[in-house]
Amino acid sequence: MAVLGHVDHGKTSLLDKIRGSAVIEGEAGAITQHIGATAVPLDIISSIAGDLVDPDDFDLPGLLFIDTPGHHSFTTLRSRGGALADIAILVVDVNDGFQPQTLEALDILKRSQTPFIVAANKIDTVPGWDPNEDAPINDTYESQSERVRQRLDESLYEIIGNLSDEGFSADLYWRVQNFQRNVGVVPVSAMTGEGVPDLLTVMMGLSQRYMKEEMEIDVSGPGVGTVLEVKEEKGFGKTVDIVLYDGTIKEDDTIVVGGQNDPIVTEVRALLQPRPLAEIRTESRFENVDEVGAAAGIKVAAPELGDAMAGAPVRVVRDRDLDDVIEEVQAELASIAVDTAEEGVVVKADTLGSLEAMADALDEAEVPIVRAEVGDVAPRDISVASTAEDPKQQVILGFNVDVLSDAEHRAETDDVTIFTDEVIYQLVEEYDEYVEGIEQAQQ
Ligand code: GDP
């Protein structure tokens, strides 16, 4: 399960609150902190939720909260990670309403047809909010928050309206007694914890409903997963944080990882689990483990990972045929590949998921792409962009990436314009304006 929403609306706080409650409710060891994810077992959820969740009613082991950076990694997990990110929480600050990244997250949820619930966060700041009153959101909200509620309504109904065209609405509706009409809008405060039990209750309901068939995780076969992040780690060189959604990964396993060019075939040197904060003062940040089984997140140290891409598949070879595994990885990458044209703009993005989303947005805006890659804007991207004949295409659009300093210099001398942003449609808008400017100048 993933938590999405606009920056500062409380995603981290909400996850921290759930984790914190889990620690208070259970023994410290009961929740497992993985790389990029936290597993909270059913009995802990049940004790946080009080009477609301009866463990006997569920045949799920618990909830795995994915805390991946950026909501586009979610797309990758959703489409390729199977059961791990089948439901979502969309966090919306009640004072701030729907913001660019909220809309973008909604768009992703809609496109991936993901059941989700809205956590209307920061209710502790709403004037007149009475935490003791067990009232539905619409009775308690006043003036300014009424406006926000209406906005929540409008956007949600718009999405649900669209989804119903695709015959999906019946599944998306979650009838929650006491909450906003048929849509799961749960008022919460990540600060005080109010509403968190209700949120978990609804999430468990959603999980039970949507994950049944997909919960059959094979925990013995060779590992299958997705790269969340590629990171330089002191003493280990380039490492990959992966989420494993099937099978196991062991030290010395041969693995195949999707790379910028060819699939990378390498051997696992170390599997690194983050240590609890308290232990870090005296020891290194990581603990070596011999083996990890699904569903889990782990940092993998191995040679040759420099070209690995966030969002790319990871496969353990073990007793399988290496060529078959390479083929599988190639096939998966091909299914994500962006169609490029002879001429067009250069697109860079932080993960394969966001690259796909960028390509979709540009396709809709009828902007051709000449090259689309995961990674920061580098000098060779400038070379490609500078060869375009049309000045409208001497452009690089970067989503959630940095511009390397030598690329910045080259761009100036080569007359290449670089746009970067953290919101896709803003990036597309900026480009549109730029094109309009050029067209006006030409007239
Ligand atoms: P993120 O960017 O979505 O992960 O947001 P954060 O969790 O970092 O929260 C952004 C800010 O809002 C922080 O200063 C939090 O302390 C604050 N915040 C988050 N949730 C609540 C809440 O329920 N009530 C109040 N009053 N503040 C909150």
Side-chain angles (χ1 to χ4, degrees):
M1 165 195 350
V3 184
L4 314 180
H6 193 70
V7 63
D8 280 347
H9 280 198
K11 297 177 294 294
T12 318
S13 307
L14 188 62
L15 277 168
D16 282 350
K17 192 76 204 173
I18 292 169
R19 259 186 233 126
S21 316
V23 170
I24 293 164
E25 290 290 340
E27 303 97 77
I31 69 157
T32 323
Q33 178 67 54
H34 301 290
I35 288 271
T38 306
V40 184
L42 181 59
D43 56 333
I44 303 284
I45 288 175
S46 168
S47 48
I48 300 173
D51 300 336
L52 297 169
V53 173
D54 181 349
D56 293 340
D57 291 345
F58 296 92
D59 47 14
L60 301 172
L63 295 175
L64 185 78
F65 291 86
I66 311 260
D67 36 29
T68 51
H71 45 216
H72 291 286
S73 344
F74 169 79
T75 333
T76 320
L77 285 173
R78 166 89 186 152
S79 52
R80 281 164 288 279
L84 282 192
D86 274 342
I87 50 176
I89 302 176
L90 178 64
V91 179
V92 184
D93 179 339
V94 289
N95 305 301
D96 210 17
F98 278 72
Q99 293 299 323
Q101 285 163 329
T102 321
L103 296 172
E104 197 168 74
L106 279 171
D107 205 38
I108 290 170
L109 293 169
K110 183 182 137 194
R111 245 184 302 158
S112 56
Q113 303 206 332
T114 307
F116 66 97
I117 180 124
V118 173
N121 191 32
K122 308 200 187 180
I123 49 167
D124 57 287
T125 61
V126 173
W129 181 265
D130 181 358
N132 298 317
E133 199 176 322
D134 196 19
I137 192 168
N138 32 338
D139 289 352
T140 324
Y141 268 44
E142 294 171 354
S143 53
Q144 60 140 10
S145 43
E146 177 66 22
R147 185 172 47 84
V148 173
R149 188 183 65 79
Q150 272 171 7
R151 286 182 74 179
L152 287 172
D153 268 7
E154 281 163 20
S155 310
L156 279 172
Y157 285 125
E158 197 182 308
I159 308 160
I160 287 161
N162 287 339
L163 284 172
S164 64
D165 294 341
E166 295 154 26
F168 191 65
S169 75
D171 272 346
L172 187 86
Y173 282 125
W174 177 258
R175 288 165 199 277
V176 193
Q177 221 186 353
N178 260 9
F179 293 131
Q180 182 61 23
R181 305 205 192 133
N182 292 333
V183 184
V185 177
V186 184
V188 298
S189 166
M191 193 149 94
T192 67
E194 188 195 348
V196 170
D198 311 72
L199 187 69
L200 287 174
T201 305
V202 179
M203 290 314 292
M204 283 307 294
L206 274 185
S207 315
Q208 178 85 342
R209 195 158 145 175
Y210 289 99
M211 292 167 82
K212 256 186 197 148
E213 311 104 65
E214 294 172 78
M215 276 309 284
E216 282 157 28
I217 292 172
D218 173 8
V219 290
S220 59
V224 175
T226 295
V227 176
L228 290 179
E229 267 194 288
V230 185
K231 267 198 236 164
E232 185 76 32
E233 206 67 63
K234 225 173 139 193
F236 295 102
K238 274 271 160 64
T239 64
V240 289
D241 290 356
I242 67 165
V243 159
L244 199 67
Y245 45 81
D246 222 353
T248 62
I249 186 165
K250 299 176 190 170
E251 226 179 67
D252 300 330
D253 264 339
T254 298
I255 54 170
V256 181
V257 182
Q260 301 277 4
N261 304 306
D262 297 321
I264 302 161
V265 180
T266 183
E267 206 165 276
V268 178
R269 283 279 156 78
L271 296 170
L272 306 166
Q273 190 112 287
R275 280 183 204 274
L277 276 178
E279 292 179 17
I280 290 176
R281 257 171 250 124
T282 50
E283 317 227 19
S284 86
R285 285 173 54 218
F286 299 105
E287 186 172 359
N288 278 64
V289 291
D290 301 337
E291 179 177 347
V292 179
I298 191 78
K299 180 182 286 294
V300 178
E304 319 284 341
L305 288 176
D307 266 356
M309 289 188 288
V314 182
R315 295 274 187 290
V316 172
V317 179
R318 212 168 296 156
D319 39 18
R320 301 187 57 195
D321 182 61
L322 177 63
D323 289 336
D324 286 352
V325 178
I326 291 175
E327 217 168 279
E328 227 174 76
V329 167
Q330 268 166 335
E332 193 172 319
L333 285 173
S335 75
I336 320 170
V338 170
D339 286 333
T340 51
E342 296 265 309
E343 292 173 348
V345 297
V346 173
V347 180
K348 302 294 297 238
D350 59 339
T351 71
L352 278 175
S354 48
L355 197 64
E356 250 182 325
M358 271 296 293
D360 282 351
L362 289 172
D363 187 44
E364 243 162 67
E366 292 177 18
V367 178
I369 300 170
V370 69
R371 171 195 184 95
E373 273 183 6
V374 171
D376 289 332
V377 179
R380 57 193 174 129
D381 300 316
I382 312 288
S383 309
V384 174
S386 67
T387 57
E389 278 170 26
D390 186 344
K392 284 179 277 190
Q393 294 177 346
Q394 287 168 2
V395 168
I396 298 174
L397 302 177
F399 174 76
N400 257 345
V401 293
D402 291 328
V403 180
L404 302 177
S405 65
D406 36 352
E408 216 155 332
H409 288 295
R410 281 281 302 273
E412 268 169 42
T413 46
D414 290 3
D415 245 350
V416 169
T417 309
I418 305 174
F419 295 97
T420 54
D421 206 297
E422 270 108 59
V423 178
I424 285 181
Y425 74 80
Q426 281 178 5
L427 195 55
V428 177
E429 261 172 33
E430 278 169 59
Y431 177 66
D432 278 346
E433 277 166 28
Y434 171 79
V435 168
E436 259 170 48
I438 291 180
E439 282 170 354
Q440 273 166 10
Q442 283 171 343
Q443 276 165 12

